[in-house]
Coordinates of all heavy atoms in Angstrom, one line a residue:
M11 N 16.7 98.2 -251.4 CA 17.6 97.2 -252.1 C 17.1 95.8 -251.7 O 16.8 95.5 -250.6 CB 19.0 97.3 -251.7 CG 19.7 98.7 -252.1 SD 21.4 98.7 -251.6 CE 21.3 99.0 -249.9
N12 N 17.0 95.0 -252.7 CA 16.5 93.6 -252.5 C 17.5 92.7 -252.9 O 18.1 92.8 -254.0 CB 15.1 93.4 -253.2 CG 14.0 94.2 -252.6 OD1 13.7 94.0 -251.5 ND2 13.5 95.1 -253.4
T13 N 17.6 91.5 -252.3 CA 18.4 90.5 -252.7 C 17.7 89.1 -252.2 O 16.6 89.2 -251.7 CB 19.8 90.6 -252.0 OG1 20.7 89.6 -252.5 CG2 19.7 90.4 -250.5
D14 N 18.3 88.1 -252.6 CA 17.7 86.8 -252.3 C 18.4 86.0 -251.2 O 19.7 86.0 -251.1 CB 17.6 85.9 -253.5 CG 16.8 86.5 -254.6 OD1 15.8 87.2 -254.3 OD2 17.0 86.2 -255.7
C15 N 17.6 85.3 -250.4 CA 18.2 84.4 -249.4 C 18.9 83.3 -250.1 O 18.3 82.6 -250.9 CB 17.1 83.9 -248.4 SG 17.7 82.6 -247.3
G16 N 20.2 83.0 -249.7 CA 20.8 81.8 -250.4 C 20.3 80.4 -249.8 O 20.7 79.5 -250.5
E17 N 19.7 80.4 -248.8 CA 19.2 79.2 -248.3 C 17.9 78.8 -248.8 O 17.7 77.6 -249.2 CB 19.0 79.3 -246.8 CG 20.4 79.4 -246.0 CD 21.1 78.1 -246.1 OE1 20.6 77.0 -246.1 OE2 22.4 78.2 -246.2
C18 N 16.9 79.7 -248.8 CA 15.6 79.3 -249.3 C 15.1 80.2 -250.4 O 14.0 79.8 -251.0 CB 14.5 79.5 -248.1 SG 14.3 81.2 -247.7
G19 N 15.8 81.1 -250.9 CA 15.4 81.9 -252.1 C 14.4 82.9 -251.9 O 14.1 83.6 -252.8
A20 N 14.0 83.1 -250.7 CA 13.0 84.2 -250.3 C 13.7 85.5 -250.5 O 14.9 85.7 -250.4 CB 12.5 84.0 -248.9
G21 N 12.9 86.6 -250.9 CA 13.5 87.9 -251.1 C 13.8 88.5 -249.6 O 13.1 88.3 -248.7
I22 N 15.0 89.2 -249.6 CA 15.4 89.9 -248.4 C 15.4 91.3 -248.7 O 16.1 91.7 -249.6 CB 16.7 89.4 -247.8 CG1 16.6 87.9 -247.5 CG2 17.1 90.3 -246.6 CD1 17.9 87.4 -247.0
S23 N 14.7 92.2 -248.0 CA 14.7 93.6 -248.2 C 15.7 94.3 -247.3 O 15.7 94.1 -246.1 CB 13.3 94.1 -247.9 OG 13.3 95.5 -248.0
V24 N 16.6 95.0 -248.0 CA 17.7 95.7 -247.2 C 17.4 97.1 -247.3 O 17.4 97.7 -248.4 CB 19.2 95.3 -247.7 CG1 20.2 96.0 -247.0 CG2 19.3 93.7 -247.5
P25 N 17.4 97.9 -246.2 CA 17.2 99.4 -246.2 C 18.4 100.1 -247.1 O 19.4 99.6 -247.1 CB 17.3 99.8 -244.8 CG 17.0 98.6 -244.0 CD 17.6 97.4 -244.8
E26 N 17.9 101.2 -247.7 CA 18.9 102.0 -248.5 C 20.0 102.4 -247.7 O 21.1 102.6 -248.2 CB 18.1 103.1 -249.1 CG 17.0 102.7 -250.1 CD 17.5 102.0 -251.4 OE1 18.7 102.4 -251.7 OE2 16.9 101.1 -251.9
D27 N 19.9 102.6 -246.4 CA 20.9 103.1 -245.6 C 21.8 102.0 -244.9 O 22.4 102.3 -243.9 CB 20.4 104.1 -244.5 CG 19.4 103.6 -243.6 OD1 19.0 102.4 -243.8 OD2 19.1 104.2 -242.7
A28 N 21.6 100.8 -245.4 CA 22.4 99.7 -244.8 C 23.9 99.9 -245.0 O 24.3 100.6 -245.9 CB 22.0 98.4 -245.5
I29 N 24.7 99.5 -244.1 CA 26.1 99.6 -244.1 C 26.7 98.2 -244.2 O 26.2 97.2 -243.6 CB 26.7 100.4 -242.9 CG1 26.2 99.7 -241.5 CG2 26.1 101.8 -243.0 CD1 27.0 100.4 -240.4
V30 N 27.9 98.1 -244.7 CA 28.7 96.9 -244.7 C 28.9 96.4 -243.3 O 29.3 97.2 -242.3 CB 30.1 97.1 -245.4 CG1 30.9 95.9 -245.3 CG2 29.9 97.3 -246.9
G31 N 28.7 95.1 -243.1 CA 28.9 94.6 -241.7 C 27.6 94.5 -241.0 O 27.5 93.8 -240.0
E32 N 26.5 95.1 -241.5 CA 25.3 95.0 -240.8 C 24.6 93.7 -241.0 O 24.9 93.0 -242.0 CB 24.3 96.1 -241.3 CG 23.2 96.5 -240.4 CD 22.4 97.8 -240.9 OE1 23.0 98.5 -241.7 OE2 21.3 98.0 -240.3
I33 N 23.8 93.2 -240.0 CA 23.3 91.8 -240.1 C 21.8 91.8 -240.3 O 21.2 92.6 -239.8 CB 23.5 91.0 -238.7 CG1 25.0 91.0 -238.3 CG2 22.9 89.7 -238.8 CD1 25.8 90.2 -239.2
F34 N 21.4 91.0 -241.3 CA 20.1 90.8 -241.6 C 19.7 89.4 -241.5 O 20.5 88.5 -241.9 CB 19.6 91.4 -243.0 CG 19.9 93.0 -243.1 CD1 21.0 93.4 -243.5 CD2 18.8 93.7 -242.7 CE1 21.2 94.8 -243.5 CE2 19.0 95.1 -242.8 CZ 20.2 95.7 -243.2
S35 N 18.4 89.1 -241.2 CA 18.0 87.7 -241.2 C 16.9 87.5 -242.1 O 16.0 88.4 -242.3 CB 17.6 87.3 -239.8 OG 16.6 88.1 -239.3
C36 N 16.8 86.3 -242.7 CA 15.7 85.9 -243.7 C 14.5 85.8 -242.8 O 14.5 85.1 -241.8 CB 16.1 84.7 -244.4 SG 14.7 84.0 -245.4
K37 N 13.4 86.4 -243.3 CA 12.1 86.3 -242.5 C 11.5 84.8 -242.7 O 10.8 84.3 -241.8 CB 11.1 87.2 -243.1 CG 11.4 88.7 -242.8 CD 10.3 89.5 -243.4 CE 10.6 91.1 -243.3 NZ 11.7 91.4 -244.1
D38 N 11.9 84.1 -243.7 CA 11.4 82.8 -244.0 C 12.1 81.7 -243.2 O 11.4 80.8 -242.6 CB 11.3 82.5 -245.5 CG 10.1 83.1 -246.2 OD1 9.5 84.1 -245.4 OD2 9.8 82.8 -247.2
C39 N 13.4 81.7 -243.3 CA 14.1 80.6 -242.7 C 15.1 81.0 -241.6 O 15.8 80.2 -241.0 CB 14.9 79.8 -243.8 SG 16.3 80.8 -244.4
S40 N 15.1 82.3 -241.3 CA 15.9 82.8 -240.1 C 17.3 82.7 -240.3 O 18.1 82.9 -239.4 CB 15.5 82.1 -238.8 OG 14.1 82.4 -238.5
S41 N 17.9 82.4 -241.5 CA 19.3 82.5 -241.8 C 19.8 83.9 -241.6 O 19.1 84.8 -242.0 CB 19.6 82.0 -243.2 OG 19.3 80.7 -243.3
E42 N 21.0 84.0 -241.0 CA 21.5 85.4 -240.8 C 22.6 85.7 -241.8 O 23.4 84.9 -242.2 CB 22.1 85.5 -239.3 CG 21.0 85.4 -238.3 CD 21.5 85.9 -237.0 OE1 22.6 85.6 -236.6 OE2 20.7 86.7 -236.4
Y43 N 22.5 86.9 -242.4 CA 23.4 87.4 -243.3 C 24.1 88.7 -243.0 O 23.4 89.5 -242.3 CB 22.7 87.6 -244.7 CG 22.3 86.2 -245.2 CD1 20.9 85.8 -245.1 CD2 23.0 85.4 -246.0 CE1 20.5 84.6 -245.6 CE2 22.7 84.2 -246.5 CZ 21.4 83.8 -246.3 OH 20.9 82.7 -246.8
E44 N 25.3 88.8 -243.4 CA 26.0 90.1 -243.1 C 26.2 90.7 -244.5 O 26.5 90.1 -245.5 CB 27.4 89.7 -242.5 CG 28.3 91.0 -242.3 CD 29.6 90.6 -241.7 OE1 29.8 89.4 -241.2 OE2 30.6 91.3 -241.9
V45 N 26.1 92.1 -244.4 CA 26.3 92.8 -245.7 C 27.8 92.9 -246.0 O 28.6 93.3 -245.2 CB 25.8 94.3 -245.5 CG1 26.1 95.1 -246.7 CG2 24.3 94.3 -245.2
A46 N 28.1 92.2 -247.1 CA 29.5 92.1 -247.5 C 30.0 93.3 -248.4 O 31.1 93.7 -248.3 CB 29.7 90.8 -248.3
E47 N 29.0 93.8 -249.2 CA 29.4 94.8 -250.1 C 28.2 95.5 -250.6 O 27.1 94.9 -250.7 CB 30.2 94.1 -251.3 CG 30.8 95.1 -252.3 CD 31.5 94.3 -253.5 OE1 32.0 93.2 -253.2 OE2 31.6 94.9 -254.5
I48 N 28.3 96.8 -250.9 CA 27.2 97.6 -251.5 C 27.8 98.3 -252.6 O 28.8 99.1 -252.4 CB 26.6 98.5 -250.5 CG1 25.9 97.7 -249.3 CG2 25.5 99.4 -251.2 CD1 25.4 98.6 -248.2
S49 N 27.3 98.2 -253.8 CA 27.9 98.9 -255.0 C 26.8 99.0 -256.0 O 26.0 98.1 -256.2 CB 29.0 98.1 -255.5 OG 28.6 96.8 -256.1
N50 N 26.7 100.2 -256.5 CA 25.8 100.6 -257.6 C 24.3 100.2 -257.2 O 23.6 99.7 -258.0 CB 26.2 99.9 -258.9 CG 27.5 100.4 -259.3 OD1 27.9 101.6 -259.2 ND2 28.4 99.4 -259.9
G51 N 24.0 100.4 -256.0 CA 22.6 100.2 -255.6 C 22.2 98.8 -255.4 O 21.2 98.4 -255.2
R52 N 23.3 97.9 -255.5 CA 23.1 96.5 -255.2 C 23.8 96.1 -253.9 O 24.9 96.5 -253.6 CB 23.6 95.7 -256.3 CG 22.7 95.9 -257.7 CD 23.3 95.0 -258.8 NE 23.1 93.5 -258.5 CZ 22.1 92.9 -258.8 NH1 21.0 93.4 -259.3 NH2 22.0 91.5 -258.4
V53 N 23.1 95.1 -253.2 CA 23.8 94.7 -251.9 C 24.1 93.2 -252.1 O 23.4 92.4 -252.7 CB 22.8 94.9 -250.8 CG1 21.5 94.1 -250.9 CG2 23.4 94.4 -249.5
L54 N 25.3 92.9 -251.6 CA 25.8 91.6 -251.6 C 25.9 91.0 -250.1 O 26.6 91.6 -249.4 CB 27.2 91.5 -252.2 CG 27.8 90.1 -252.4 CD1 27.0 89.2 -253.3 CD2 29.3 90.2 -252.8
L55 N 25.2 90.0 -249.9 CA 25.1 89.4 -248.6 C 26.1 88.2 -248.4 O 26.2 87.4 -249.4 CB 23.7 89.0 -248.2 CG 22.7 90.1 -248.1 CD1 21.4 89.5 -247.6 CD2 23.1 91.3 -247.3
K56 N 26.6 87.9 -247.3 CA 27.3 86.7 -247.1 C 26.8 86.1 -245.7 O 26.3 86.8 -244.9 CB 28.8 86.9 -247.0 CG 29.2 87.7 -245.8 CD 30.8 87.9 -245.8 CE 31.2 88.7 -244.5 NZ 32.6 88.9 -244.5
P57 N 26.8 84.8 -245.6 CA 26.3 84.2 -244.4 C 27.1 84.8 -243.1 O 28.2 84.9 -243.2 CB 26.6 82.8 -244.5 CG 26.7 82.5 -246.0 CD 27.2 83.8 -246.5
A58 N 26.3 85.1 -242.1 CA 26.9 85.7 -240.9 C 27.7 84.6 -240.2 O 27.2 83.4 -240.0 CB 25.9 86.3 -240.1
E59 N 28.9 84.9 -239.8 CA 29.7 83.9 -239.1 C 29.2 83.8 -237.6 O 29.0 84.8 -237.0 CB 31.2 84.4 -239.1 CG 31.8 84.4 -240.5 CD 31.9 83.1 -241.2 OE1 31.9 82.0 -240.4 OE2 32.1 83.0 -242.4
Q60 N 29.0 82.6 -237.3 CA 28.6 82.4 -235.8 C 29.5 81.5 -235.1 O 29.2 80.7 -234.3 CB 27.1 81.7 -235.8 CG 26.1 82.5 -236.5 CD 25.7 83.7 -235.7 OE1 25.8 83.7 -234.6 NE2 25.1 84.7 -236.4
V61 N 30.8 81.5 -235.4 CA 31.8 80.6 -234.9 C 32.7 81.2 -233.9 O 33.9 81.4 -234.1 CB 32.5 79.9 -236.0 CG1 31.8 78.9 -236.7 CG2 33.2 81.0 -237.0
G62 N 32.2 81.8 -232.9 CA 32.9 82.4 -231.8 C 33.5 83.8 -232.1 O 34.3 84.2 -231.3
E63 N 33.1 84.3 -233.2 CA 33.5 85.7 -233.4 C 32.9 86.7 -232.5 O 31.7 86.5 -232.1 CB 33.2 86.2 -234.8 CG 33.9 85.3 -235.9 CD 35.3 85.9 -236.2 OE1 35.7 86.9 -235.7 OE2 36.1 85.2 -236.9
D64 N 33.7 87.6 -232.0 CA 33.1 88.7 -231.1 C 32.8 89.9 -232.0 O 33.6 90.6 -232.4 CB 34.2 89.0 -230.1 CG 33.6 89.9 -229.1 OD1 32.3 90.3 -229.2 OD2 34.3 90.4 -228.1
W65 N 31.5 90.1 -232.1 CA 31.0 91.3 -232.9 C 30.7 92.4 -232.1 O 30.0 93.4 -232.4 CB 29.8 90.9 -233.7 CG 30.1 89.8 -234.8 CD1 29.9 88.5 -234.8 CD2 30.8 90.1 -236.1 NE1 30.4 87.9 -236.0 CE2 30.9 88.8 -236.7 CE3 31.4 91.3 -236.7 CZ2 31.6 88.7 -237.9 CZ3 32.1 91.1 -237.9 CH2 32.1 89.8 -238.5
G66 N 31.2 92.4 -230.9 CA 31.0 93.6 -229.9 C 31.5 94.8 -230.5 O 32.5 94.8 -231.2
E67 N 31.0 95.9 -230.1 CA 31.4 97.2 -230.6 C 32.8 97.5 -230.1 O 33.1 97.5 -228.9 CB 30.5 98.4 -230.1 CG 29.0 98.2 -230.6 CD 29.0 98.5 -232.0 OE1 29.3 99.6 -232.4 OE2 28.5 97.6 -232.9
Ligands
ZN7 ZN1 15.7 82.2 -246.2

């Protein structure tokens, strides 16, 4: 699945087995994105929150 970086427009490749909540970073600008939704083979990313959230297991 491929989507675009909202910051720089570079393509981001997301594995087919990605899950909602998984974090990916743009290879070009290092912006971090969280998988917000996966539907019909398309992935929707949202900027990963970095404001004191605890993402520990
Ligand atoms: Zn980028």
Side-chain angles (χ1 to χ4, degrees):
M11 295 182 284
N12 290 298
T13 187
D14 294 332
C15 173
E17 290 292 326
C18 71
I22 298 177
S23 175
V24 177
E26 296 294 330
D27 61 353
I29 58 172
V30 172
E32 205 166 343
I33 302 292
F34 294 94
S35 58
C36 174
K37 294 183 184 67
D38 280 17
C39 71
S40 298
S41 292
E42 292 198 318
Y43 294 96
E44 177 182 340
V45 177
E47 189 179 329
I48 297 173
S49 62
N50 299 322
R52 293 180 62 89
V53 60
L54 182 66
L55 300 182
K56 65 179 181 181
E59 298 290 342
Q60 300 286 338
V61 287
E63 293 278 351
D64 183 4
W65 293 102
E67 297 289 302

